[in-house]
Amino acid sequence: MNYVWYHLKNDPKFWIKVVIIPAVLAAALMDFLSHMFKPPGVFNLWFFKITVGVAVLLVIVYGIYLYINPRREKKAVADQALFERQRESDFRKIIAQNPGFQTFCYTCVHFNTEIKACRLDIRNPKARAMPLNDRFKYCLYWESLNRC
């Protein structure tokens, strides 16, 4: 029961998926059946036509999203690769000056203390544990908590 109560209170997507979409589909079905069995029906088939039109538009929008999303993903991967190359050279300079330098997660700006994990969406998992010297592994996305 707590699962249902939590989603009823806090999750608007739950309301859309469980309440609104089924209600609209039921009204469209009722409009279609009432027009079929006793014309002109309850809504004179206008609710059904609007529902079908909106569904077609949503399918077109979803197709555009599926076309654009891989391009956006490729751009994000390319941007992260460029950033990682730059950070690798920066860290190599820091390691040359200070061989004991390490990138601890708990000292990073992106560390979430509640879930004890990184908040970033890093597409290259090797960037979290990059072996830049023989002693330690470094996270290329690490940023100090006390940066000036």
Side-chain angles (χ1 to χ4, degrees), residues 1-20:
M1 184 63 184
N2 289 336
Y3 174 80
V4 174
W5 182 251
Y6 171 80
H7 287 291
L8 284 174
K9 283 180 26 185
N10 300 327
D11 192 6
K13 290 181 183 177
F14 182 80
W15 279 95
I16 291 171
K17 288 187 275 187
V18 174
V19 177
I20 295 173

Side-chain angles (χ1 to χ4, degrees), residues 111-118:
F111 185 70
N112 187 344
T113 56
E114 293 177 7
I115 61 172
K116 306 232 182 316
C118 186

